Amino acid sequence: MDGNVDLDLDINLLDLDPAVKVLKMIYSFESWPNLLKLADTFFNRITQIYNNYTHNNELELKHQRPLIYYYGYSLLMLGLAHKEIENYDKARTYIKAYSDLSWFKGLDAEGLNEVAYYKYISEPNLLEVEVLSGNIQFIDRYVSFLLSNSKEVLPGLITLLKAATNFDLNIESHLALFSNRISKFEDTAADEIIINSYQETFFINMIRYKTKIQDYNTAIKYSMKLLDSAEVTNSDKIFKQAVVYFESLRSCADATQIKDFEEKIINFKERVESL
């Protein structure tokens, strides 16, 4: 999917759980304009359902999780989309909105767990926005959070790499803290589409960062990993990006790296032609 193509989809026609799956898919495609539009529509829909519930004490739709989950999720997606288009003030607004949902009526034990979950993720998400905004005084605190929360390491490293590239920072000492985790997930094939998207985004940002600090050999290594990932996911977009990155670094590559790259290109083309 081209992120610039307007998606003609009425998310209101879907039940709540399929709608969440659509939002996850749009996020994985990095289609930020569509994510903003659909998440906003979803938020308004959940708000209307909630208002009807508070007045009539009954829900209009069946769904798998408490209503507050979908309310918080719509705010989460809006915050993520604004973060990705670097609209950090609005991202902060949405993060703060789901940081405290204790006012939500009709909360049972499961609903209270959702309140606690959104409060929990709001802190690192807010730290992430601060780091991306160039407020580097938050980096050590953000790194401390990542060290204590292994599931957040991959997206967290992407944030650190983006900030380092944008604000001319050297984060080699920070990356060294995660060397074992990096080695593990960069060579592991991902089964989930969002995790795979994170891996490819990590490779791209590592290429940019390593190029910026003139560590060209490592940048070349990650451009090759990106090319391998494109073959696994059959992504033409990622394939083209990998080729562009490698070609920009070709003058720094040795003969073996160039040979490996050209062999991968041939293999990729042969596989595509055989489909």
Side-chain angles (χ1 to χ4, degrees):
M1 175 187 292
D2 186 339
N4 296 317
V5 175
D6 184 44
L7 183 63
D8 186 16
L9 171 67
D10 188 353
I11 201 170
N12 286 328
L13 298 177
L14 301 174
D15 288 337
L16 301 188
D17 295 291
V20 167
K21 290 181 180 180
V22 168
L23 291 176
K24 287 182 179 180
M25 179 185 68
I26 301 302
Y27 176 82
S28 71
F29 288 142
E30 300 181 3
S31 183
W32 312 127
N34 285 312
L35 183 60
L36 279 172
K37 181 178 72 173
L38 294 177
D40 186 61
T41 300
F42 191 58
F43 172 74
N44 291 331
R45 180 186 181 192
I46 299 301
T47 300
Q48 183 178 11
I49 294 172
Y50 173 72
N51 289 335
N52 290 338
Y53 167 72
T54 56
H55 285 91
N56 304 322
N57 201 31
E58 61 181 25
L59 294 177
E60 302 172 358
L61 295 172
K62 292 183 179 180
H63 40 80
Q64 297 176 5
R65 306 180 75 159
L67 187 62
I68 192 172
Y69 163 78
Y70 306 97
Y71 186 86
Y73 192 81
S74 63
L75 291 171
L76 174 65
M77 288 292 107
L78 284 165
L80 288 173
H82 279 293
K83 179 199 72 176
E84 294 295 341
I85 62 174
E86 301 181 7
N87 193 343
Y88 298 128
D89 286 339
K90 282 195 173 182
R92 287 187 187 93
T93 298
Y94 285 112
I95 293 170
K96 291 177 181 178
Y98 63 75
S99 68
D100 183 7
L101 296 174
S102 59
W103 54 266
F104 208 87
K105 294 181 180 180
L107 294 172
D108 56 11
E110 191 176 0
L112 289 171
N113 286 336
E114 296 295 344
V115 172
Y117 169 75
Y118 285 115
K119 181 179 181 179
Y120 165 74
I121 64 172
S122 68
E123 182 178 358
N125 287 351
L126 193 56
L127 283 174
E128 178 185 21
V129 169
E130 296 298 348
V131 170
L132 289 171
S133 300
N135 297 321
I136 62 175
Q137 67 269 27
F138 289 96
I139 287 181
D140 287 342
R141 186 175 163 191
Y142 187 55
V143 168
S144 294
F145 169 82
L146 297 179
L147 289 170
S148 301
N149 295 270
S150 59
K151 291 184 179 179
E152 303 299 327
V153 168
L154 182 52
L157 288 175
I158 292 169
T159 293
L160 291 174
L161 290 167
K162 286 181 178 179
T165 302
N166 291 338
F167 300 105
D168 295 321
L169 306 175
N170 188 308
I171 58 167
E172 292 300 288
S173 61
H174 295 98
L175 293 177
L177 297 173
F178 301 97
S179 58
N180 291 336
R181 292 300 308 275
I182 291 173
S183 296
K184 182 178 180 180
F185 65 63
E186 71 182 10
D187 292 321
T188 302
D191 295 324
E192 296 183 22
I193 187 169
I194 289 182
I195 300 301
N196 189 270
S197 176
Y198 274 136
Q199 284 181 324
E200 291 173 339
T201 304
F202 171 76
F203 294 157
I204 290 169
N205 282 281
M206 187 65 92
I207 294 168
R208 292 172 177 169
Y209 167 69
K210 291 295 186 179
T211 300
K212 192 76 174 283
I213 66 170
Q214 299 182 355
D215 182 359
Y216 301 121
N217 188 59
T218 303
I220 290 168
K221 182 187 78 170
Y222 279 102
S223 69
M224 303 284 271
K225 288 184 178 295
L226 188 64
L227 190 61
D228 290 337
S229 182
E231 184 174 3
V232 172
T233 60
N234 197 29
S235 172
D236 182 63
K237 174 185 175 182
I238 296 299
F239 171 79
K240 290 177 180 177
Q241 286 182 285
V243 171
V244 168
Y245 283 126
F246 184 88
E247 291 297 344
S248 70
L249 295 162
R250 180 183 281 269
S251 62
C252 302
D254 59 33
T256 300
Q257 290 171 324
I258 292 173
K259 180 181 178 182
D260 289 345
F261 170 77
E262 292 176 346
E263 287 178 351
K264 288 178 185 293
I265 294 295
I266 293 172
N267 292 336
F268 186 89
K269 289 182 177 178
E270 288 178 347
R271 190 178 65 81
V272 171
E273 291 171 355
S274 66
L275 295 178

